[in-house]
Amino acid sequence: MAYMTALTEPQRRLIAQIAGGARLKDHRDIEGGKRFTLTLDAAAETVIAPALVEELVKRGLIDSNKKFPSATYWLTDAGKRVATDSAADRHGPLNT
């Protein structure tokens, strides 16, 4: 599909991780700065580049609840299709 070929590997991987149950959040400070984190389990949290998240939001593949100071992101219907299509293309688990 055309929208999948335009995605970078980090974008595909982030979508797959969200589809696999990881939690993507932003943490905003009072000055408006954002820090994006991906939590795979209680012990593992990874900082995610803002440009990666912002591009997926711009493409309509993820969205958030827009809460302050911490918003949670999820896959949109288009994002779910990308995750499903990527998994089918790779013939493997989503969170690899």
Side-chain angles (χ1 to χ4, degrees):
M1 303 198 129
Y3 59 84
M4 283 184 51
T5 57
L7 293 177
T8 65
E9 186 56 32
Q11 290 169 335
R12 283 192 200 107
R13 190 170 41 249
L14 181 55
I15 287 172
Q17 288 171 322
I18 295 169
R23 184 183 308 194
L24 177 63
K25 296 186 78 132
D26 72 37
H27 307 276
R28 289 173 267 183
D29 60 35
I30 198 73
E31 288 84 30
K34 286 185 184 178
R35 181 175 171 262
F36 294 94
T37 61
L38 184 72
T39 304
L40 302 171
D41 59 43
E45 184 176 272
T46 304
V47 175
I48 303 296
L52 178 60
V53 176
E54 291 162 359
E55 182 63 23
L56 293 177
V57 169
K58 180 179 165 187
R59 291 173 181 244
L61 300 175
I62 62 174
D63 199 0
S64 78
N65 59 6
K66 297 163 183 66
K67 300 255 180 172
F68 182 84
S70 181
T72 301
Y73 290 75
W74 58 79
L75 296 176
T76 63
D77 288 340
K80 290 175 188 175
R81 283 191 298 276
V82 168
T84 300
D85 293 347
S86 286
D89 287 347
R90 294 171 188 244
H91 303 290
L94 285 176
N95 58 356
T96 59

